[in-house]
Amino acid sequence: MAHRMVWSVVVMGLLVVLLRRGRQLRAIVRDRRTALLLVVAAITITSNWGTFIYGVNSDRVVETSLGYFINPLVTVLMGVLLLGERLRPLQWGALATGFVAVAVLTVDYGRPPVVALVLAFSFGTYGLAKKSAGVGAIESLAFETAVIAPFALVYLVWLGAAGRSHFTGEGAGHVALLVASGAVTAVPLLCFGAAATRVSMTTLGLLQYLAPVLQFLLGITVLGESMPPGRWVGFGLVWLALAIFTVEALRHRRRTLGRVAEASAV
């Protein structure tokens, strides 16, 4: 995680220079409200990264995928409660189905799915902070990484001084992978940041269940994690909720476009 932070700030620094976004970045620093929102974003995305790494390394890949399946529901809920976005009846039904799914999975696991819930709420809060800040994707991510990278760099220096650093001890391929983590981290977050300021929280939530499908399939196939019947029921309810959201959104879009076309014809 520390390497992701450090190499991300390098990538973002280069982008700020190449795309001449220094003026916009200085404007963020001068605006206290925007800066505080992006500090919150930096803290929440760091929590998200750390929780995901913990989940993967403790053989909870399926549970991490659950977190990102739940995340669209959390994002939509935040849009309603905090931004005053309005839901249609079927969307409320999908939210209710999602809550039932979490309850079923809590019973199946014998505990609340903490990893999944932390991932969902941390990334939902990150999206909300980014949307509320309302600044460009490049300069906002540059600011976020600049906030957290110094802590990561101090940790890496400490590891090196203690003889516990593996940066150069595993060959050139290992070094290349760690350095590449900056771009691998920055590019998806740039795309997410650009989307967060352009679309509603509801739409943003709907688009976020593509990645957990891949995580889930990886967990149950390549990594061989178990899926008892109760867990299948819980995941099935989550997928049902997402299907309701998707179908309802597509129908609403078609209706809206139809009304616009009729109004234009008149």
Side-chain angles (χ1 to χ4, degrees):
M1 186 169 72
H3 274 287
R4 287 183 70 176
M5 295 173 182
V6 170
W7 296 112
S8 293
V9 80
V10 172
V11 171
M12 296 314 304
L14 290 173
L15 286 176
V16 167
V17 172
L18 291 174
L19 300 178
R20 300 179 179 178
R21 298 295 180 90
R23 180 175 57 83
Q24 293 91 330
L25 184 57
R26 288 191 295 273
I28 291 174
V29 175
R30 290 193 296 267
D31 187 326
R32 176 176 292 184
R33 176 184 177 275
T34 300
L36 286 175
L37 283 168
L38 293 181
V39 167
V40 171
I43 292 170
T44 52
I45 197 61
T46 301
S47 302
N48 187 272
W49 290 349
T51 304
F52 180 79
I53 291 170
Y54 168 77
V56 170
N57 287 325
S58 59
D59 299 321
R60 297 185 183 181
V61 172
V62 169
E63 189 175 342
T64 65
S65 76
L66 174 64
Y68 292 109
F69 278 125
I70 296 173
N71 180 57
L73 305 176
V74 171
T75 303
V76 170
L77 185 62
M78 286 182 171
V80 173
L81 297 179
L82 301 178
L83 300 182
E85 295 182 2
R86 307 180 79 175
L87 296 185
R88 295 173 293 277
L90 276 178
Q91 291 177 313
W92 280 114
L95 268 183
T97 303
F99 286 122
V100 172
V102 172
V104 170
L105 288 166
T106 297
V107 173
D108 177 78
Y109 280 111
R111 56 172 176 79
V114 177
V115 168
L117 292 173
V118 171
L119 287 172
F121 278 92
S122 60
F123 203 72
T125 304
Y126 176 72
L128 179 62
K130 296 279 281 189
K131 184 174 183 64
S132 300
V135 295
I138 292 175
E139 51 268 28
S140 65
L141 186 55
F143 182 88
E144 293 164 37
T145 52
V147 168
I148 59 178
F151 301 98
L153 184 59
V154 168
Y155 176 65
L156 290 176
V157 170
W158 175 81
L159 283 179
R164 298 172 58 190
S165 174
H166 299 280
F167 180 51
T168 59
E170 307 292 334
H174 185 74
V175 173
L177 284 172
L178 287 174
V179 172
S181 68
V184 171
T185 297
V187 170
L189 289 177
L190 280 173
C191 294
F192 178 80
T197 59
R198 287 168 170 79
V199 302
S200 71
M201 290 289 280
T202 302
T203 302
L204 195 64
L206 291 175
L207 295 173
Q208 289 177 35
Y209 62 85
L210 298 176
V213 170
L214 300 178
Q215 293 173 0
F216 175 79
L217 292 175
L218 179 67
I220 64 173
T221 56
V222 177
L223 301 178
E225 294 189 16
S226 63
M227 283 290 292
R231 210 160 299 172
W232 278 111
V233 172
F235 271 83
L237 287 170
V238 172
W239 297 330
L240 175 61
L242 294 173
I244 293 171
F245 264 124
T246 303
V247 171
E248 199 281 337
L250 291 173
R251 288 180 177 176
H252 179 72
R253 177 176 173 78
R254 283 197 294 267
R255 288 195 300 267
T256 301
L257 291 176
R259 293 193 193 103
V260 171
E262 290 176 4
S264 300
V266 173

PDB file of all heavy atoms in Angstrom, residues 69-81:
ATOM      1  N   PHE A  69     -19.952  -5.137  -4.382  1.00  0.00           N
ATOM      2  CA  PHE A  69     -21.340  -5.327  -4.809  1.00  0.00           C
ATOM      3  C   PHE A  69     -22.272  -4.431  -3.985  1.00  0.00           C
ATOM      4  O   PHE A  69     -23.233  -3.867  -4.507  1.00  0.00           O
ATOM      5  CB  PHE A  69     -21.763  -6.790  -4.646  1.00  0.00           C
ATOM      6  CG  PHE A  69     -21.344  -7.686  -5.763  1.00  0.00           C
ATOM      7  CD1 PHE A  69     -20.607  -8.835  -5.511  1.00  0.00           C
ATOM      8  CD2 PHE A  69     -21.689  -7.411  -7.080  1.00  0.00           C
ATOM      9  CE1 PHE A  69     -20.206  -9.683  -6.537  1.00  0.00           C
ATOM     10  CE2 PHE A  69     -21.298  -8.246  -8.111  1.00  0.00           C
ATOM     11  CZ  PHE A  69     -20.552  -9.383  -7.841  1.00  0.00           C
ATOM     12  N   ILE A  70     -22.010  -4.357  -2.670  1.00  0.00           N
ATOM     13  CA  ILE A  70     -22.845  -3.534  -1.793  1.00  0.00           C
ATOM     14  C   ILE A  70     -22.620  -2.044  -2.056  1.00  0.00           C
ATOM     15  O   ILE A  70     -23.533  -1.231  -1.885  1.00  0.00           O
ATOM     16  CB  ILE A  70     -22.540  -3.848  -0.315  1.00  0.00           C
ATOM     17  CG1 ILE A  70     -22.916  -5.292   0.016  1.00  0.00           C
ATOM     18  CG2 ILE A  70     -23.299  -2.916   0.626  1.00  0.00           C
ATOM     19  CD1 ILE A  70     -22.495  -5.721   1.414  1.00  0.00           C
ATOM     20  N   ASN A  71     -21.418  -1.698  -2.497  1.00  0.00           N
ATOM     21  CA  ASN A  71     -21.064  -0.292  -2.643  1.00  0.00           C
ATOM     22  C   ASN A  71     -22.056   0.532  -3.465  1.00  0.00           C
ATOM     23  O   ASN A  71     -22.380   1.663  -3.086  1.00  0.00           O
ATOM     24  CB  ASN A  71     -19.661  -0.173  -3.243  1.00  0.00           C
ATOM     25  CG  ASN A  71     -19.244   1.265  -3.416  1.00  0.00           C
ATOM     26  OD1 ASN A  71     -19.224   2.041  -2.470  1.00  0.00           O
ATOM     27  ND2 ASN A  71     -18.929   1.638  -4.632  1.00  0.00           N
ATOM     28  N   PRO A  72     -22.549   0.025  -4.620  1.00  0.00           N
ATOM     29  CA  PRO A  72     -23.539   0.822  -5.345  1.00  0.00           C
ATOM     30  C   PRO A  72     -24.771   1.153  -4.501  1.00  0.00           C
ATOM     31  O   PRO A  72     -25.322   2.258  -4.602  1.00  0.00           O
ATOM     32  CB  PRO A  72     -23.914  -0.071  -6.536  1.00  0.00           C
ATOM     33  CG  PRO A  72     -22.719  -0.932  -6.734  1.00  0.00           C
ATOM     34  CD  PRO A  72     -22.177  -1.188  -5.369  1.00  0.00           C
ATOM     35  N   LEU A  73     -25.205   0.201  -3.668  1.00  0.00           N
ATOM     36  CA  LEU A  73     -26.362   0.461  -2.814  1.00  0.00           C
ATOM     37  C   LEU A  73     -26.026   1.532  -1.778  1.00  0.00           C
ATOM     38  O   LEU A  73     -26.844   2.423  -1.490  1.00  0.00           O
ATOM     39  CB  LEU A  73     -26.800  -0.830  -2.119  1.00  0.00           C
ATOM     40  CG  LEU A  73     -27.101  -2.023  -3.034  1.00  0.00           C
ATOM     41  CD1 LEU A  73     -27.436  -3.249  -2.206  1.00  0.00           C
ATOM     42  CD2 LEU A  73     -28.230  -1.689  -4.000  1.00  0.00           C
ATOM     43  N   VAL A  74     -24.820   1.474  -1.219  1.00  0.00           N
ATOM     44  CA  VAL A  74     -24.385   2.491  -0.259  1.00  0.00           C
ATOM     45  C   VAL A  74     -24.284   3.845  -0.938  1.00  0.00           C
ATOM     46  O   VAL A  74     -24.700   4.875  -0.385  1.00  0.00           O
ATOM     47  CB  VAL A  74     -23.027   2.085   0.358  1.00  0.00           C
ATOM     48  CG1 VAL A  74     -22.449   3.224   1.196  1.00  0.00           C
ATOM     49  CG2 VAL A  74     -23.190   0.836   1.213  1.00  0.00           C
ATOM     50  N   THR A  75     -23.753   3.872  -2.150  1.00  0.00           N
ATOM     51  CA  THR A  75     -23.608   5.120  -2.886  1.00  0.00           C
ATOM     52  C   THR A  75     -24.965   5.751  -3.156  1.00  0.00           C
ATOM     53  O   THR A  75     -25.163   6.959  -2.977  1.00  0.00           O
ATOM     54  CB  THR A  75     -22.872   4.867  -4.219  1.00  0.00           C
ATOM     55  OG1 THR A  75     -21.600   4.271  -3.948  1.00  0.00           O
ATOM     56  CG2 THR A  75     -22.666   6.161  -4.989  1.00  0.00           C
ATOM     57  N   VAL A  76     -25.914   4.921  -3.576  1.00  0.00           N
ATOM     58  CA  VAL A  76     -27.268   5.421  -3.825  1.00  0.00           C
ATOM     59  C   VAL A  76     -27.892   5.948  -2.535  1.00  0.00           C
ATOM     60  O   VAL A  76     -28.509   7.013  -2.510  1.00  0.00           O
ATOM     61  CB  VAL A  76     -28.143   4.304  -4.442  1.00  0.00           C
ATOM     62  CG1 VAL A  76     -29.604   4.724  -4.478  1.00  0.00           C
ATOM     63  CG2 VAL A  76     -27.653   3.978  -5.851  1.00  0.00           C
ATOM     64  N   LEU A  77     -27.713   5.201  -1.441  1.00  0.00           N
ATOM     65  CA  LEU A  77     -28.268   5.618  -0.155  1.00  0.00           C
ATOM     66  C   LEU A  77     -27.677   6.956   0.285  1.00  0.00           C
ATOM     67  O   LEU A  77     -28.399   7.824   0.790  1.00  0.00           O
ATOM     68  CB  LEU A  77     -27.999   4.546   0.899  1.00  0.00           C
ATOM     69  CG  LEU A  77     -28.624   4.776   2.279  1.00  0.00           C
ATOM     70  CD1 LEU A  77     -30.148   4.815   2.184  1.00  0.00           C
ATOM     71  CD2 LEU A  77     -28.183   3.681   3.248  1.00  0.00           C
ATOM     72  N   MET A  78     -26.390   7.146   0.096  1.00  0.00           N
ATOM     73  CA  MET A  78     -25.761   8.418   0.444  1.00  0.00           C
ATOM     74  C   MET A  78     -26.323   9.555  -0.413  1.00  0.00           C
ATOM     75  O   MET A  78     -26.518  10.673   0.068  1.00  0.00           O
ATOM     76  CB  MET A  78     -24.249   8.324   0.252  1.00  0.00           C
ATOM     77  CG  MET A  78     -23.540   7.522   1.319  1.00  0.00           C
ATOM     78  SD  MET A  78     -21.752   7.501   1.052  1.00  0.00           S
ATOM     79  CE  MET A  78     -21.210   6.736   2.585  1.00  0.00           C
ATOM     80  N   GLY A  79     -26.548   9.259  -1.679  1.00  0.00           N
ATOM     81  CA  GLY A  79     -27.129  10.273  -2.550  1.00  0.00           C
ATOM     82  C   GLY A  79     -28.493  10.730  -2.061  1.00  0.00           C
ATOM     83  O   GLY A  79     -28.835  11.914  -2.118  1.00  0.00           O
ATOM     84  N   VAL A  80     -29.270   9.781  -1.545  1.00  0.00           N
ATOM     85  CA  VAL A  80     -30.611  10.107  -1.035  1.00  0.00           C
ATOM     86  C   VAL A  80     -30.523  10.872   0.285  1.00  0.00           C
ATOM     87  O   VAL A  80     -31.148  11.927   0.461  1.00  0.00           O
ATOM     88  CB  VAL A  80     -31.441   8.823  -0.850  1.00  0.00           C
ATOM     89  CG1 VAL A  80     -32.763   9.126  -0.151  1.00  0.00           C
ATOM     90  CG2 VAL A  80     -31.705   8.166  -2.199  1.00  0.00           C
ATOM     91  N   LEU A  81     -29.757  10.349   1.231  1.00  0.00           N
ATOM     92  CA  LEU A  81     -29.732  10.909   2.586  1.00  0.00           C
ATOM     93  C   LEU A  81     -28.955  12.224   2.680  1.00  0.00           C
ATOM     94  O   LEU A  81     -29.331  13.115   3.449  1.00  0.00           O
ATOM     95  CB  LEU A  81     -29.132   9.891   3.558  1.00  0.00           C
ATOM     96  CG  LEU A  81     -29.907   8.577   3.723  1.00  0.00           C
ATOM     97  CD1 LEU A  81     -29.187   7.665   4.703  1.00  0.00           C
ATOM     98  CD2 LEU A  81     -31.336   8.839   4.186  1.00  0.00           C
TER      99      LEU A  81
END
